[in-house]
PDB file of all heavy atoms in Angstrom:
ATOM      1  N   MET S  10      13.108  12.261  -2.745  1.00  0.00           N
ATOM      2  CA  MET S  10      12.141  11.898  -3.656  1.00  0.00           C
ATOM      3  C   MET S  10      10.802  12.765  -3.576  1.00  0.00           C
ATOM      4  O   MET S  10      10.558  13.330  -2.633  1.00  0.00           O
ATOM      5  CB  MET S  10      11.671  10.394  -3.327  1.00  0.00           C
ATOM      6  CG  MET S  10      12.857   9.344  -3.640  1.00  0.00           C
ATOM      7  SD  MET S  10      13.238   9.339  -5.294  1.00  0.00           S
ATOM      8  CE  MET S  10      14.624   8.065  -5.212  1.00  0.00           C
ATOM      9  N   MET S  26       0.149   3.820  -5.121  1.00  0.00           N
ATOM     10  CA  MET S  26       1.061   2.910  -4.402  1.00  0.00           C
ATOM     11  C   MET S  26       0.844   1.581  -5.131  1.00  0.00           C
ATOM     12  O   MET S  26      -0.227   1.000  -4.898  1.00  0.00           O
ATOM     13  CB  MET S  26       0.914   2.854  -2.909  1.00  0.00           C
ATOM     14  CG  MET S  26       1.248   4.180  -2.190  1.00  0.00           C
ATOM     15  SD  MET S  26       0.976   3.836  -0.376  1.00  0.00           S
ATOM     16  CE  MET S  26       1.539   5.541   0.222  1.00  0.00           C
ATOM     17  N   GLY S  28       2.911  -2.362  -6.620  1.00  0.00           N
ATOM     18  CA  GLY S  28       3.947  -3.273  -6.829  1.00  0.00           C
ATOM     19  C   GLY S  28       3.543  -4.573  -6.493  1.00  0.00           C
ATOM     20  O   GLY S  28       2.317  -4.853  -6.181  1.00  0.00           O
ATOM     21  N   ILE S  57       4.299   5.724  -6.192  1.00  0.00           N
ATOM     22  CA  ILE S  57       5.181   5.230  -5.301  1.00  0.00           C
ATOM     23  C   ILE S  57       5.276   3.748  -5.418  1.00  0.00           C
ATOM     24  O   ILE S  57       4.293   2.904  -5.346  1.00  0.00           O
ATOM     25  CB  ILE S  57       4.657   5.516  -3.840  1.00  0.00           C
ATOM     26  CG1 ILE S  57       4.386   7.038  -3.623  1.00  0.00           C
ATOM     27  CG2 ILE S  57       5.561   4.955  -2.809  1.00  0.00           C
ATOM     28  CD1 ILE S  57       3.720   7.403  -2.301  1.00  0.00           C
ATOM     29  N   GLU S  83      17.892  -3.500  -0.706  1.00  0.00           N
ATOM     30  CA  GLU S  83      18.790  -2.946  -1.807  1.00  0.00           C
ATOM     31  C   GLU S  83      18.166  -2.879  -3.093  1.00  0.00           C
ATOM     32  O   GLU S  83      18.329  -1.896  -3.923  1.00  0.00           O
ATOM     33  CB  GLU S  83      20.030  -3.748  -1.857  1.00  0.00           C
ATOM     34  CG  GLU S  83      20.935  -3.531  -0.659  1.00  0.00           C
ATOM     35  CD  GLU S  83      22.277  -4.378  -0.673  1.00  0.00           C
ATOM     36  OE1 GLU S  83      22.324  -5.363  -1.451  1.00  0.00           O
ATOM     37  OE2 GLU S  83      23.240  -4.053   0.048  1.00  0.00           O
ATOM     38  N   THR S  96       9.745   5.010  -2.695  1.00  0.00           N
ATOM     39  CA  THR S  96       9.453   3.624  -2.488  1.00  0.00           C
ATOM     40  C   THR S  96       8.913   3.365  -1.113  1.00  0.00           C
ATOM     41  O   THR S  96       9.152   4.173  -0.219  1.00  0.00           O
ATOM     42  CB  THR S  96      10.737   2.792  -2.676  1.00  0.00           C
ATOM     43  OG1 THR S  96      11.681   3.304  -1.881  1.00  0.00           O
ATOM     44  CG2 THR S  96      11.227   2.748  -4.112  1.00  0.00           C
ATOM     45  N   GLU S 102       8.469  -4.541  13.353  1.00  0.00           N
ATOM     46  CA  GLU S 102       8.971  -4.293  14.777  1.00  0.00           C
ATOM     47  C   GLU S 102       9.778  -3.058  14.864  1.00  0.00           C
ATOM     48  O   GLU S 102      10.290  -2.602  13.806  1.00  0.00           O
ATOM     49  CB  GLU S 102       9.826  -5.500  15.139  1.00  0.00           C
ATOM     50  CG  GLU S 102       9.068  -6.898  15.106  1.00  0.00           C
ATOM     51  CD  GLU S 102      10.002  -7.947  15.646  1.00  0.00           C
ATOM     52  OE1 GLU S 102      10.852  -7.718  16.524  1.00  0.00           O
ATOM     53  OE2 GLU S 102       9.859  -9.049  15.192  1.00  0.00           O
ATOM     54  N   ALA S 133       8.205   7.198  13.037  1.00  0.00           N
ATOM     55  CA  ALA S 133       8.278   8.726  13.011  1.00  0.00           C
ATOM     56  C   ALA S 133       9.613   9.199  13.277  1.00  0.00           C
ATOM     57  O   ALA S 133      10.062  10.240  12.645  1.00  0.00           O
ATOM     58  CB  ALA S 133       7.288   9.169  14.052  1.00  0.00           C
ATOM     59  N   GLN S 145      -8.299  -3.885  10.416  1.00  0.00           N
ATOM     60  CA  GLN S 145      -9.576  -4.400  10.023  1.00  0.00           C
ATOM     61  C   GLN S 145     -10.627  -4.398  11.123  1.00  0.00           C
ATOM     62  O   GLN S 145     -11.865  -4.486  10.916  1.00  0.00           O
ATOM     63  CB  GLN S 145      -9.380  -5.835   9.572  1.00  0.00           C
ATOM     64  CG  GLN S 145      -8.358  -6.093   8.451  1.00  0.00           C
ATOM     65  CD  GLN S 145      -6.961  -6.392   9.035  1.00  0.00           C
ATOM     66  OE1 GLN S 145      -6.545  -5.868  10.071  1.00  0.00           O
ATOM     67  NE2 GLN S 145      -6.287  -7.279   8.310  1.00  0.00           N
ATOM     68  N   ALA S 148     -12.581   1.559  13.356  1.00  0.00           N
ATOM     69  CA  ALA S 148     -13.242   2.586  12.577  1.00  0.00           C
ATOM     70  C   ALA S 148     -12.332   3.685  12.211  1.00  0.00           C
ATOM     71  O   ALA S 148     -11.269   3.971  12.842  1.00  0.00           O
ATOM     72  CB  ALA S 148     -14.407   3.243  13.423  1.00  0.00           C
ATOM     73  N   HIS S 161       3.352  13.331  17.408  1.00  0.00           N
ATOM     74  CA  HIS S 161       3.967  13.569  18.762  1.00  0.00           C
ATOM     75  C   HIS S 161       5.558  13.402  18.705  1.00  0.00           C
ATOM     76  O   HIS S 161       6.138  14.191  19.304  1.00  0.00           O
ATOM     77  CB  HIS S 161       3.283  12.650  19.817  1.00  0.00           C
ATOM     78  CG  HIS S 161       3.975  12.911  21.160  1.00  0.00           C
ATOM     79  ND1 HIS S 161       5.076  12.157  21.664  1.00  0.00           N
ATOM     80  CD2 HIS S 161       3.708  13.730  22.145  1.00  0.00           C
ATOM     81  CE1 HIS S 161       5.375  12.510  22.897  1.00  0.00           C
ATOM     82  NE2 HIS S 161       4.564  13.551  23.194  1.00  0.00           N
ATOM     83  N   SER S 165       6.608  17.317  12.030  1.00  0.00           N
ATOM     84  CA  SER S 165       6.720  17.619  10.649  1.00  0.00           C
ATOM     85  C   SER S 165       6.590  16.368   9.757  1.00  0.00           C
ATOM     86  O   SER S 165       6.648  16.482   8.538  1.00  0.00           O
ATOM     87  CB  SER S 165       8.038  18.342  10.246  1.00  0.00           C
ATOM     88  OG  SER S 165       9.096  17.559  10.580  1.00  0.00           O
ATOM     89  N   HIS S 195      -8.777  13.814   9.673  1.00  0.00           N
ATOM     90  CA  HIS S 195      -7.655  13.945  10.548  1.00  0.00           C
ATOM     91  C   HIS S 195      -6.585  14.744   9.963  1.00  0.00           C
ATOM     92  O   HIS S 195      -5.491  14.849  10.481  1.00  0.00           O
ATOM     93  CB  HIS S 195      -7.082  12.485  10.856  1.00  0.00           C
ATOM     94  CG  HIS S 195      -8.094  11.523  11.394  1.00  0.00           C
ATOM     95  ND1 HIS S 195      -9.161  11.904  12.321  1.00  0.00           N
ATOM     96  CD2 HIS S 195      -8.350  10.212  11.300  1.00  0.00           C
ATOM     97  CE1 HIS S 195      -9.947  10.980  12.602  1.00  0.00           C
ATOM     98  NE2 HIS S 195      -9.501   9.871  11.971  1.00  0.00           N
ATOM     99  N   GLN S 220     -10.802 -11.943  -3.947  1.00  0.00           N
ATOM    100  CA  GLN S 220     -11.920 -11.587  -5.168  1.00  0.00           C
ATOM    101  C   GLN S 220     -11.270 -10.519  -6.131  1.00  0.00           C
ATOM    102  O   GLN S 220     -11.706  -9.486  -6.077  1.00  0.00           O
ATOM    103  CB  GLN S 220     -13.122 -11.121  -4.535  1.00  0.00           C
ATOM    104  CG  GLN S 220     -13.978 -12.087  -3.697  1.00  0.00           C
ATOM    105  CD  GLN S 220     -15.285 -11.589  -3.232  1.00  0.00           C
ATOM    106  OE1 GLN S 220     -15.268 -10.708  -2.331  1.00  0.00           O
ATOM    107  NE2 GLN S 220     -16.324 -11.986  -3.712  1.00  0.00           N
ATOM    108  N   ILE S 249       1.286 -17.509  -9.809  1.00  0.00           N
ATOM    109  CA  ILE S 249       2.600 -18.081  -9.292  1.00  0.00           C
ATOM    110  C   ILE S 249       3.326 -17.065  -8.284  1.00  0.00           C
ATOM    111  O   ILE S 249       4.396 -17.298  -7.901  1.00  0.00           O
ATOM    112  CB  ILE S 249       3.589 -18.337 -10.555  1.00  0.00           C
ATOM    113  CG1 ILE S 249       3.921 -17.164 -11.277  1.00  0.00           C
ATOM    114  CG2 ILE S 249       2.917 -19.446 -11.344  1.00  0.00           C
ATOM    115  CD1 ILE S 249       5.043 -17.379 -12.284  1.00  0.00           C
ATOM    116  N   MET S 257      -4.342 -10.333  -6.100  1.00  0.00           N
ATOM    117  CA  MET S 257      -3.551  -9.367  -6.890  1.00  0.00           C
ATOM    118  C   MET S 257      -4.257  -9.153  -8.221  1.00  0.00           C
ATOM    119  O   MET S 257      -4.839 -10.026  -8.810  1.00  0.00           O
ATOM    120  CB  MET S 257      -2.118  -9.923  -7.044  1.00  0.00           C
ATOM    121  CG  MET S 257      -1.223  -9.476  -5.940  1.00  0.00           C
ATOM    122  SD  MET S 257       0.483  -9.450  -6.343  1.00  0.00           S
ATOM    123  CE  MET S 257       1.059 -10.941  -5.640  1.00  0.00           C
TER     124      MET S 257
END
Side-chain angles (χ1 to χ4, degrees):
M10 295 295 179
M26 292 183 177
I57 302 173
E83 286 177 343
T96 54
E102 298 183 37
Q145 303 95 318
H161 178 267
S165 63
H195 305 324
Q220 292 180 291
I249 63 170
M257 274 202 255

